[in-house]
Amino acid sequence: MSSIKVHAILATLPLFKEMGPEEIDRIAQNTRESHVSRGEIIFQRGDPSHGFYVVIHGQLKLAFSSPQGVEKVVHLVGPGKTFGEAVMFMDMPYPVYAQAIADSALLHIARSAVFEGIERDPVFCRKMLAGLSSRLHSLIGDVEAYSLRSCTQRVIGYLLQHDCGCGATDNCAGIHVNLPASKTVIASRLNISPETFSRILHDLSASGMISVKGKDVTILDMNKLREYGQQ
């Protein structure tokens, strides 16, 4: 990838978008691009962290395996998203592994560039803290969902992340959700079994709230789906 394109990608990230060209250039000089194939491991659990990653295109999962060999997916990362920031600051090895679930292109931003940016620019520091706080808020939401919500509510909540953003009283229909990973991976992310995930999709489809064709889910009745998810 050309240096011009790397600059353009970095400049669009929320973390860097208020930085001037010189600062973007400094970060770009400490950024490397990589292309990974589906199934390829980016880092293993226990590997040291030397920076954080940006997904240009593709899809990755962050996961760990139990002593019994059962995989638990903790996060799915798509285009324009970042991962690995928190571990970089903690100076600890990765607690999860990262694996491409589709052919992907990544940028790796060196830890030294981030630390220099924090020392040079208070705005950069605040944005990094805001990003980490947002990630923590998301994790708290996950704990709440796993503890207090039923399996059906978790699946509906996942589908409603793709809501068009209209008001709660609007009943938009025909909203398409393309599942970004296999049902097994998404089920693990929601802390349910693949069989339960498939059964819930079937039940929601039989009730006329959604239709399912492979990885394509269409929300047919948004209001009904919202109401059912609150029961």
Side-chain angles (χ1 to χ4, degrees):
M1 182 182 296
S2 68
S3 60
I4 295 177
K5 193 168 183 180
V6 170
H7 281 64
I9 292 172
L10 293 176
T12 60
L13 294 176
L15 187 60
F16 303 133
K17 67 179 181 181
E18 293 184 14
M19 290 186 174
E22 292 184 1
E23 192 70 6
I24 293 292
D25 183 64
R26 182 188 65 80
I27 295 170
Q29 291 175 10
N30 291 276
T31 299
R32 63 176 175 82
E33 179 192 6
S34 62
H35 293 264
V36 293
S37 301
R38 179 181 179 182
E40 189 171 341
I41 299 291
I42 291 84
F43 55 74
Q44 292 280 8
R45 183 177 186 177
D47 285 350
S49 169
H50 301 293
F52 73 99
Y53 292 85
V54 180
V55 181
I56 302 171
H57 66 76
Q59 193 86 17
L60 293 92
K61 66 180 178 183
L62 306 182
F64 62 86
S65 297
S66 71
Q68 294 75 31
V70 178
E71 180 183 72
K72 174 65 181 82
V73 177
V74 298
H75 196 46
L76 295 174
V77 192
K81 302 300 183 181
T82 61
F83 62 99
E85 303 97 317
V87 176
M88 174 183 65
F89 283 107
M90 297 169 65
D91 196 24
M92 294 178 63
Y94 289 112
V96 296
Y97 61 84
Q99 184 178 28
I101 55 178
D103 293 346
S104 305
L106 312 173
L107 293 180
H108 179 266
I109 300 171
R111 174 179 174 177
S112 59
V114 176
F115 282 26
E116 287 175 19
I118 289 173
E119 293 176 359
R120 292 158 60 103
D121 187 354
V123 173
F124 178 84
C125 183
R126 288 197 299 271
K127 284 182 171 291
M128 181 64 76
L129 287 173
L132 293 175
S133 298
S134 176
R135 193 69 52 81
L136 177 61
H137 182 77
S138 176
L139 290 173
I140 292 173
D142 284 348
V143 173
E144 178 186 11
Y146 299 156
S147 303
L148 303 177
R149 297 179 186 175
S150 68
C151 297
T152 299
Q153 288 173 328
R154 292 178 220 170
V155 174
I156 292 175
Y158 177 80
L159 295 176
L160 291 180
Q161 290 177 5
H162 305 272
D163 192 341
C164 64
C166 61
T169 58
D170 296 323
N171 190 25
C172 295
I175 296 175
H176 296 281
V177 179
N178 181 259
L179 301 180
S182 69
K183 292 178 181 178
T184 299
V185 169
I186 295 174
S188 178
R189 176 70 182 86
L190 298 175
N191 205 34
I192 59 179
S193 70
E195 295 77 13
T196 298
F197 183 64
S198 294
R199 176 182 56 77
I200 292 170
L201 289 180
H202 178 271
D203 291 346
L204 295 176
S205 180
S207 299
M209 288 178 268
I210 66 172
S211 67
V212 182
K213 292 183 179 179
K215 287 188 175 183
D216 293 320
V217 178
T218 302
I219 298 176
L220 302 175
D221 192 325
M222 180 65 76
N223 276 351
K224 190 174 180 181
L225 190 64
R226 288 190 188 119
E227 293 170 1
Y228 195 71
Q230 295 172 356
Q231 295 178 1

